[in-house]
Amino acid sequence: MNEVLLRSLTPSVLGILVRRGADFAAAEDAVQDALVEAVRVWPADPPRDPKGWLVTVAWRRFLDATRADTARRRREDLVEDEPAPGPAPAVDDTLQLYFLCAHPSLTPSSAVALTLRAVGGLTTRQIALAYLVPEATMAQRISRAKRTVSGVRFDQPGDVATVLRVLYLVFNEGYSGDVDLAAEAIRLNRQLAAAIDHPEVAGLLALMLLHHARRAARTAPDGSLVPLAEQDRGRWDTESITEGVEILQTALARDRLGEFQAQAAIAALHADAPTAEETDWVQIVEWYDELARLTDSPIVRLNRAVAVGEADGPRAGLAALVALDDSLPRHAAVAAYLHERDGDLAAAARLYAEAARKAPNLAERDHLTRQAARLNARGCR
């Protein structure tokens, strides 16, 4: 299977579907389904016209999806037109759906991807970015998960760890501003915490509350990003911070440390500092060490390098950065920040510009571009 060929054909096929009248999101899903079908079929029966084959299959998938959506909307309209049968208790099955999509027949990563797509409302691209994999790879993973559970009775709920992972990723997407799902993730996590006595459920709820408390201060009136050190701490939600810290302290007292509790402890240290200069970076580094031990995540080690740079100086932070793959998301932005603090403005400006080109959203790109411009202007004086 020539994956390079598939990747090279994808933009062209997507463009053809859009020109035929498909909206971009639906065309994107149809093309991804066609790519998965190509991976399955082509090794045994390669087409003479790969592009034509992909266009035909993708267009059929788009039409099928459109017909299904039209039929669904028609059924919904019929239901809405029916008179109400009388008072009925409100039932929220969302959390139950999260558990059912985390089916035991799926691997944890596939269950998370499927739930994010089917229930969480995230796009394939957003899920791929969260997992640091190509979009086509994630599309294949989701399609395989769909095939695995097709025909399976959804009467076996999945495990708590998988549902927590889904809620965490949904919250992160909402918190980034791309999709407003943060409040919904907190609501569902509250439901889960009320139903299950589990320290990591509490840890995740504390983490969400502590991050959400800073949301109002994260953007300026013009929509631009405001870094943590520059945020107006008077705009932080002190009630949410107090609740989050109390929940975290109760969870930590059970001495069953997990990654969400460790992340919440870091967020609590930031929330506890009256000013950015008074942040206890030494403790934060210690918590990142615990978090790295629990997860072995390169993103955790990247964030740890920032904390080391604050606690022990920028050169120590840059030394911690050396061991990490420079293709990691936001690696260039971290390196730029540490080089700027070390006084190497030329390297910092270059890295800020590089980070801007790789930024996952417009607000972050604009912020990094301004950082590069600011340093370039200083260099010209």
Side-chain angles (χ1 to χ4, degrees), residues 135-198:
E135 188 173 348
T137 300
M138 182 52 66
Q140 293 173 20
R141 184 180 299 176
I142 293 172
S143 294
R144 284 197 300 270
K146 289 178 181 177
R147 288 197 299 270
T148 299
V149 299
S150 63
V152 171
R153 286 176 59 84
F154 276 77
D155 55 1
Q156 302 178 62
D159 67 337
V160 174
T162 300
V163 173
L164 288 178
R165 177 63 52 191
V166 175
L167 289 173
Y168 176 63
L169 292 173
V170 169
F171 176 81
N172 280 345
E173 279 301 327
Y175 192 57
S176 73
D178 295 330
V179 181
D180 190 10
L181 291 169
E184 172 68 359
I186 292 174
R187 184 184 71 83
L188 292 173
N189 203 346
R190 286 190 186 279
Q191 287 186 7
L192 189 57
I196 299 176
D197 183 18
H198 191 298

Side-chain angles (χ1 to χ4, degrees), residues 199-223:
E200 274 293 81
V201 174
L204 180 56
L205 180 56
L207 175 63
M208 288 182 179
L209 289 170
L210 289 164
H211 277 312
H212 206 58
R214 302 200 303 258
R215 189 171 190 179
R218 292 183 72 245
T219 54
D222 62 0

Side-chain angles (χ1 to χ4, degrees), residues 173-329:
E173 279 301 327
Y175 192 57
S176 73
D178 295 330
V179 181
D180 190 10
L181 291 169
E184 172 68 359
I186 292 174
R187 184 184 71 83
L188 292 173
N189 203 346
R190 286 190 186 279
Q191 287 186 7
L192 189 57
I196 299 176
D197 183 18
H198 191 298
E200 274 293 81
V201 174
L204 180 56
L205 180 56
L207 175 63
M208 288 182 179
L209 289 170
L210 289 164
H211 277 312
H212 206 58
R214 302 200 303 258
R215 189 171 190 179
R218 292 183 72 245
T219 54
D222 62 0
S224 59
L225 290 180
V226 180
L228 176 60
E230 300 172 19
Q231 288 176 15
D232 177 1
R233 300 184 179 220
R235 299 184 65 196
W236 290 1
D237 183 349
T238 54
E239 289 187 7
S240 292
I241 291 172
T242 299
E243 182 185 6
V245 169
E246 289 176 353
I247 292 171
L248 173 63
Q249 288 173 339
T250 301
L252 290 175
R254 301 179 63 175
D255 200 23
R256 289 169 54 194
L257 184 63
E259 63 174 293
F260 294 125
Q261 294 169 73
Q263 288 190 59
I266 294 169
L269 286 167
H270 283 298
D272 188 54
T275 65
E277 292 74 23
E278 295 173 86
T279 303
D280 190 343
W281 286 106
V282 173
Q283 270 205 73
I284 288 176
V285 171
E286 291 173 355
W287 275 111
Y288 270 122
D289 288 337
E290 288 286 352
L291 190 55
R293 179 182 61 80
L294 290 166
T295 66
D296 195 30
S297 164
I299 298 299
V300 168
R301 297 186 185 282
L302 183 67
N303 291 331
R304 178 185 178 277
V306 177
V308 169
E310 298 289 353
D312 300 326
R315 294 195 178 181
L318 288 168
L321 206 59
V322 169
L324 300 175
D325 187 344
D326 61 9
S327 67
L328 281 172

Side-chain angles (χ1 to χ4, degrees), residues 14-50:
L14 182 59
I16 291 172
L17 264 64
V18 171
R19 287 195 295 274
R20 286 186 178 184
D23 69 84
F24 187 84
E28 191 177 34
D29 287 343
V31 171
Q32 289 170 357
D33 285 347
L35 293 174
V36 172
E37 186 68 8
V39 171
R40 187 181 70 84
V41 171
W42 285 11
D45 185 19
R48 282 177 292 185
D49 180 8

Side-chain angles (χ1 to χ4, degrees), residues 340 345 373-381:
E340 179 182 359
L345 302 189
R374 173 177 59 83
L375 294 185
N376 283 327
R378 286 176 60 181
C380 292
R381 292 175 185 171

